[in-house]
Amino acid sequence: MKKLIALVLVLVLLFVGCKKDEFVFQAEILEIYEGTYLVEPLEGTTERKSSDQIYVPIKHVDASREPLVGDIIEITYNGMLLETYPAQIGEFYKIRLIEE
């Protein structure tokens, strides 16, 4: 019985610890490179306070068409920006086209 309780406790802790934090911000695409967008976070975002330019990998794009330079996109990530210039997204989840 003690082993069963211990196993349940471990599983509960694993599930609680596996919840990923998601942070979302909007940015304008400045340039498109092979596999990467260079974006400028919109005024008023927390990310803008960290860096005026961020590299974002081009993957998990949720759009009817590929975003282009000048489009506004919404980026979902784990909240970590690498301290480079331009900054880089730590762990990336998805991109959604907001405005063409």
Side-chain angles (χ1 to χ4, degrees):
M1 185 67 173
K2 288 183 183 181
K3 287 183 180 181
L4 179 60
I5 293 173
L7 178 62
V8 170
L9 184 59
V10 167
L11 290 174
V12 167
L13 290 175
L14 283 175
F15 285 120
V16 171
C18 289
K19 182 180 182 283
K20 62 182 178 184
D21 289 329
E22 291 187 354
F23 292 79
V24 178
F25 72 99
Q26 293 182 356
E28 179 180 350
I29 298 174
L30 300 176
E31 297 178 25
I32 300 174
Y33 301 102
E34 187 174 322
T36 307
Y37 294 125
L38 177 62
V39 302
E40 177 181 356
L42 297 184
E43 290 291 333
T45 62
T46 303
E47 290 76 13
R48 179 65 180 236
K49 295 174 186 172
S50 296
S51 183
D52 64 338
Q53 295 184 354
I54 301 173
Y55 283 124
V56 179
I58 299 175
K59 58 184 181 179
H60 310 298
V61 178
D62 182 22
S64 59
R65 71 161 177 82
E66 284 292 315
L68 304 172
V69 171
D71 287 347
I72 305 297
I73 57 175
E74 182 177 84
I75 301 157
T76 305
Y77 73 113
N78 71 343
M80 294 185 66
L81 292 175
L82 303 179
E83 294 183 18
T84 60
Y85 188 79
Q88 299 176 52
I89 296 288
E91 185 177 339
F92 168 80
Y93 302 133
K94 68 180 176 181
I95 292 175
R96 186 169 67 98
L97 181 62
I98 298 295
E99 190 178 302
E100 301 177 13

